């Protein structure tokens, strides 16, 4: 087969294979299962891998063309493998092994009696650095394409045979075994086929540190040969971890930023929703308060309890908003009246920590309301508490309880203008606050009838 047709066919096959892989490989590299938090340790990745490959060896290289000891290169098969440790995202160290045959015809010196050589590479081992040149899929956590370059050094053992024009081999003088140091320099492209499996397409030039690879020394340069290969790389370790070589740290940092941004935005939306709910609740409360506290005629009685609406301004009214009768000039407080007040004080009870009057206290308060309406007495209500709690809270509670008693008496017909409600908090104890009994006495509302 013509050599140019061979090379063209190999190149075309590689292009077709790569196109099919691009078309068939699903885009799953950006999924959450492959995400690794930025600046994570190497234990979160798969850093070891092994590979196998096969391809063609030829004395023709991109560095020297056909200017070799033998003018006409032939392609022969070779194969090999490697084990690699990925040290960084873009740097791996790998131990390589390959073997195969290198062959050429037509010596540069027309007087040379042999027209063909064949070198059998028994083994070649080296340590190389594998450097990833770029990460192409910037928007994905793993890159499907990994272009790379390699360089290293190692030792190879080979046996070279020279053949005369007649095709007969001269085994006595033209077969030799050699061990030489060589420098492999290469480039390639890895394509992700699946999680942990890569297609490896590579080209490598091996610089042999002698001029006897072909058994013939011609010119001043050392011999070289190329190895174009295709193979598969398999990542070792847990399948749940991504390959360090394929991982894109820039994309991970971008993903981390976007997740933080979404979290902050979610918190902000929640806070806005809570603020809106509080605003709606406040508006509802204010509307209810305005409705319950409306006093259209300004007589001091809320419209909700005003049985005599539209009272003329300045008219004194009772607790139901109705005008009061002509006041009695002289007011006499009898002992019976004082007994009624004392009984109300004795039976007055509130819910714990609140200004809500208990039902069993209402009957005695009704009697107080009766004497206030019938005799037009004035009444001062003084609220007191013990020292449990803050001063401000106790002062407010004592005032609220006095106001609660006033509101109830007014609801029963008492004149609100003749009732004064004052709160003194814990400032005027009548017993020690160190005992339960003392604190019970200090929690009181005093009635002063006049």
């Amino acid at each position: 087969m013509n050599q140019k047709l061979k090379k063209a066919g190999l190149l075309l096959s590689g292009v077709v294979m790569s196109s099919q892989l691009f078309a068939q490989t699903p885009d799953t590299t950006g999924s959450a299962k492959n995400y690794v938090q930025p600046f994570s340790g190497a234990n979160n990745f798969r850093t070891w891998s092994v590979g196998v490959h096969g391809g063609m060896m030829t004395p023709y290289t991109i560095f020297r063309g056909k200017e070799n000891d033998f003018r006409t290169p032939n392609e022969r098969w070779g194969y090999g493998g490697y084990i690699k440790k990925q040290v960084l995202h873009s740097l791996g160290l790998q131990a390589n092994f390959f073997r195969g045959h290198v062959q050429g015809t037509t010596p540069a010196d027309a007087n040379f009696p042999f027209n063909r050589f064949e070198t059998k590479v028994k083994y070649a081992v080296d340590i190389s650095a594998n450097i990833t040149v770029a990460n192409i899929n910037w928007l994905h956590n793993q890159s499907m394409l990994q272009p790379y370059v390699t360089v290293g050094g190692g030792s190879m053992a080979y046996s070279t045979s020279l053949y005369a024009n007649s095709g007969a081999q001269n085994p006595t003088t033209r077969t030799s075994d050699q061990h030489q140091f060589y420098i492999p320099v290469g480039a390639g492209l890895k394509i992700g086929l699946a999680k942990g499996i890569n297609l490896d397409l590579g080209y490598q030039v091996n610089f042999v540190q002698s001029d006897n690879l072909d058994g013939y020394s011609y010119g001043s340069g050392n011999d070289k040969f190329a190895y174009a290969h295709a193979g598969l790389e398999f990542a070792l370790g847990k399948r749940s971890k991504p390959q360090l070589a394929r991982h894109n740290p820039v994309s991970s940092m971008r993903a981390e930023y976007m997740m933080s941004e979404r979290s902050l935005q979610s918190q902000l939306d929640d806070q806005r929703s809570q603020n809106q709910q509080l605003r709606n609740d406040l508006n509802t409360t204010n509307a209810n308060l305005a409705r319950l506290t409306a006093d259209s005629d300004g007589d001091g009685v809320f419209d909700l309890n005003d049985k005599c609406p539209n009272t003329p301004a300045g008219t004194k009214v009772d607790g139901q908003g109705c005008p009061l009768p002509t006041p009695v000039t002289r007011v006499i407080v009898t002992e019976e009246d004082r007994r009624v007040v004392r009984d109300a004080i004795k039976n007055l009870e509130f819910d714990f920590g609140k200004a809500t009057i208990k039902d069993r206290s209402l009957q005695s308060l009704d009697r107080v309301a009766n004497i206030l309406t019938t005799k037009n007495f004035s009444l001062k209500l003084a609220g007191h508490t013990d020292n449990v709690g803050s001063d401000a809270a106790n002062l407010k509670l004592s005032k609220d309880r006095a106001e609660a008693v006033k509101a109830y008496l007014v609801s029963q017909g008492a004149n609100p203008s003749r009732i004064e409600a004052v709160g003194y908090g814990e400032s005027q104890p009548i017993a020690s606050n160190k005992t339960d009994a003392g604190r019970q006495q200090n929690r009181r509302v005093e009635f002063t009838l006049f």
Side-chain angles (χ1 to χ4, degrees):
M1 181 183 291
N2 185 281
Q3 297 172 1
K4 293 184 178 179
L5 289 178
K6 284 185 178 180
K7 296 174 184 176
L10 179 63
L11 178 61
L12 180 61
S13 299
V15 172
V16 171
M17 184 180 297
S18 299
S19 302
Q20 292 176 343
L21 288 171
F22 277 116
Q24 296 175 3
T25 301
D27 182 15
T28 59
T29 54
S31 60
K33 63 183 179 181
N34 293 323
Y35 173 74
V36 177
Q37 191 174 20
F39 309 109
S40 297
N43 58 329
N44 293 297
F45 300 92
R46 284 192 278 181
T47 59
W48 285 96
S49 61
V50 295
V52 293
H53 49 73
M56 291 190 303
M57 291 183 176
T58 174
Y60 178 88
T61 72
I62 61 174
F63 294 101
R64 192 168 59 178
K66 294 185 178 180
E67 295 300 324
N68 301 317
D69 295 346
F70 284 79
R71 301 282 189 191
T72 306
N74 299 135
E75 290 78 20
R76 296 291 301 273
W77 288 103
Y79 61 90
Y82 62 85
I83 181 169
K84 184 179 72 168
K85 168 66 175 178
Q86 196 69 25
V87 182
L88 303 173
H89 282 85
S90 58
L91 175 62
L93 296 178
Q94 64 185 52
N96 301 288
F97 166 83
F98 69 88
R99 62 183 303 177
H101 291 77
V102 181
Q103 182 176 300
T105 61
T106 313
D109 185 355
N111 296 319
F112 190 62
F114 300 94
N115 72 335
R116 181 168 66 93
F117 83 92
E118 181 175 351
T119 297
K120 178 180 180 182
V121 180
K122 298 178 179 180
Y123 68 84
V125 292
D126 64 78
I127 300 296
S128 298
N130 185 300
I131 302 171
T132 302
V133 178
N135 191 330
I136 296 177
N137 289 344
W138 291 103
L139 296 181
H140 296 82
N141 287 328
Q142 291 196 83
S143 173
M144 189 175 72
L145 300 179
Q146 302 169 68
Y148 65 87
V149 296
T150 61
V151 62
S155 175
M156 69 167 58
Y158 56 89
S159 174
T160 302
S161 298
L162 292 173
Y163 296 86
N165 292 334
S166 62
Q169 182 179 357
N170 184 343
T172 58
T173 61
R174 293 310 186 201
T175 299
S176 60
D177 294 326
Q178 299 287 336
H179 286 82
Q180 294 293 341
F181 180 78
Y182 74 102
I183 299 175
V185 177
L189 177 66
K190 292 183 181 179
I191 304 173
L193 301 181
K195 189 173 182 179
I197 302 177
N198 301 317
L199 174 65
D200 187 359
L201 304 176
Y203 177 81
Q204 177 177 306
V205 176
N206 300 283
F207 295 83
V208 183
Q209 300 302 295
S210 72
D211 191 23
N212 63 356
L213 179 72
D214 51 14
Y216 172 38
S217 179
Y218 180 82
S220 60
N222 292 334
D223 288 335
K224 310 174 184 67
F225 68 96
Y227 176 39
H229 58 82
L232 294 175
E233 179 185 38
F234 303 91
L236 305 178
K238 293 184 178 179
R239 289 178 55 84
S240 59
K241 297 180 180 181
Q243 285 182 261
L244 179 60
R246 291 182 59 186
H247 183 255
N248 185 347
V250 176
S251 178
S252 288
M253 294 179 68
R254 173 181 176 274
E256 187 78 8
Y257 168 78
M258 293 181 68
M259 286 191 293
S260 299
E261 184 181 32
R262 284 195 294 267
S263 176
L264 291 175
Q265 185 63 48
S266 177
Q267 294 177 24
L268 181 60
D269 292 342
D270 291 343
Q271 188 62 52
R272 286 175 177 171
S273 177
Q274 294 176 14
N275 291 344
Q276 185 61 44
Q277 184 61 46
L278 290 174
R279 187 177 293 108
N280 294 339
D281 293 344
L282 180 60
N283 292 338
T284 301
T285 301
N286 289 337
N288 292 335
L289 183 63
R291 180 174 59 85
L292 295 174
T293 59
D295 183 10
S296 301
D297 54 11
D299 60 1
V301 179
F302 298 149
D303 291 350
L304 188 65
N305 300 319
D306 197 341
K307 295 184 178 181
C308 300
N310 303 318
T311 303
T315 302
K316 294 183 177 181
V317 298
D318 57 21
Q320 297 177 333
C322 297
L324 291 172
T326 303
V328 179
T329 304
R330 187 177 179 183
V331 177
I332 299 175
V333 179
T334 66
E335 184 61 28
E336 178 61 19
D337 297 331
R338 292 190 179 91
R339 186 192 65 75
V340 170
V341 170
R342 287 194 301 269
D343 185 59
I345 296 173
K346 179 180 178 182
N347 294 311
L348 181 60
E349 295 182 19
F350 297 89
D351 289 339
F352 180 77
K354 298 181 180 179
T356 305
I357 303 172
K358 291 187 177 181
D359 292 342
R360 55 177 172 267
S361 303
L362 301 181
Q363 185 176 1
S364 57
L365 289 178
D366 289 342
R367 291 194 290 272
V368 174
N370 181 60
I371 63 175
L372 291 179
T373 56
T374 56
K375 296 187 177 182
N376 202 27
F377 286 151
S378 295
L379 179 66
K380 180 179 180 180
L381 301 170
H384 301 271
T385 67
D386 57 24
N387 66 345
V388 177
S390 65
D391 294 345
N394 288 334
L395 183 63
K396 183 178 183 304
L397 180 60
S398 64
K399 172 68 174 176
D400 291 345
R401 285 180 171 177
E403 289 288 350
V405 175
K406 176 181 177 180
Y408 180 80
L409 294 176
V410 169
S411 70
Q412 300 303 309
N415 186 351
S417 64
R418 302 188 70 84
I419 302 176
E420 179 185 7
V422 182
Y424 295 98
E426 61 185 65
S427 62
Q428 298 181 9
I430 60 175
S432 172
N433 280 311
K434 295 182 178 180
T435 64
D436 290 340
R439 287 191 292 271
Q440 176 66 35
Q441 295 180 53
N442 290 333
R443 295 192 295 268
R444 68 195 187 280
V445 176
E446 295 177 347
F447 291 57
T448 303
L449 194 65
F450 57 94

